[in-house]
């Protein structure tokens, strides 16, 4: 079952907690055991699983900007102005995360949240969630 939701970002760089959107998709699917594949369909966004804590979010942003600064002599900037965003997405993040589902609940650790990372906002972004039942636990 494939679900889609929109993330409307407000800043150039922004980290958004999308855990509740994904859990809603799991409930809607009525799947009790399986996996949720979360996928962002954009080359200048990424996903990660980590703690949603203000200080940590600022640390992540600062380190990403330090590792891959906005202003460098990037070739992609000959045709666009966002090479840094593509590089951060491809080198530091993934377009997908996978989370196990048990008893219709995402099996995240206590401090784990599913985080959407905007690297070239503000924009409207689309996130897909594919809910796949586990064959060892066939649904009724
Ligand atoms: Zn580009």
């Amino acid at each position: 079952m494939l679900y889609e939701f929109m993330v409307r970002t407000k800043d150039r760089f922004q980290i958004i907690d999308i855990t509740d959107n994904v859990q809603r998709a799991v409930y809607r699917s009525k799947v009790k055991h399986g996996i949720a594949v979360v996928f962002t369909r954009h080359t200048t966004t990424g996903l990660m699983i980590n703690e949603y804590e203000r200080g940590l979010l600022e640390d992540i942003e600062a380190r990403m900007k330090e590792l891959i600064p906005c202003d460098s002599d990037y070739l992609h900037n000959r045709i666009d102005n966002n090479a840094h965003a593509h590089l951060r997405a491809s080198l530091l993040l993934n377009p997908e995360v996978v989370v196990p589902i048990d008893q219709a609940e995402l099996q995240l650790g206590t401090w784990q949240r599913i985080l959407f990372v905007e690297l070239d906002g503000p924009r409207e972004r689309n996130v897909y969630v594919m809910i796949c039942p586990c064959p060892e636990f066939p649904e009724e």
Side-chain angles (χ1 to χ4, degrees), residues 1 8 11 24 26-28 34 48 58 61 87 93 95 97 100 103-104 113-114:
M1 284 136 277
R8 193 176 277 112
D11 295 315
R24 272 196 290 278
V26 175
Y27 291 146
R28 232 174 293 149
M48 63 180 171
E58 286 181 21
E61 178 174 357
L87 287 167
L93 297 165
V97 295
Q103 303 301 336
R113 304 295 291 178
I114 305 169

Side-chain angles (χ1 to χ4, degrees), residues 43-44 76-77 79-83 86 120 123:
T43 55
T44 55
H76 181 64
N77 284 348
I79 60 150
D80 209 346
N81 64 346
N82 61 357
H86 291 280
D120 193 30
R123 296 186 199 222

Side-chain angles (χ1 to χ4, degrees), residues 67-83:
L67 289 167
I68 302 172
C70 291
D71 51 347
S72 188
D73 192 19
Y74 300 120
L75 299 179
H76 181 64
N77 284 348
R78 292 176 189 168
I79 60 150
D80 209 346
N81 64 346
N82 61 357

Side-chain angles (χ1 to χ4, degrees), residues 8-14 118 120-125:
R8 193 176 277 112
T9 62
K10 295 186 299 241
D11 295 315
R12 190 101 197 263
F13 185 105
Q14 192 179 357
E118 171 64 78
D120 193 30
R123 296 186 199 222
E124 289 182 358
R125 304 296 203 169

Side-chain angles (χ1 to χ4, degrees), residues 36 49 70 91 119 124 127:
I49 294 178
C70 291
L91 300 179
L119 299 163
E124 289 182 358
V127 177

Side-chain angles (χ1 to χ4, degrees), residues 84-120:
H84 65 282
H86 291 280
L87 287 167
R88 288 173 191 165
S90 59
L91 300 179
L92 304 176
L93 297 165
N94 290 308
E96 89 293 333
V97 295
V98 178
V99 183
I101 300 162
D102 189 45
Q103 303 301 336
E105 300 290 336
L106 293 169
Q107 295 302 298
L108 292 163
T110 306
W111 302 109
Q112 285 184 318
R113 304 295 291 178
I114 305 169
L115 305 178
F116 176 92
V117 185
E118 171 64 78
L119 299 163
D120 193 30

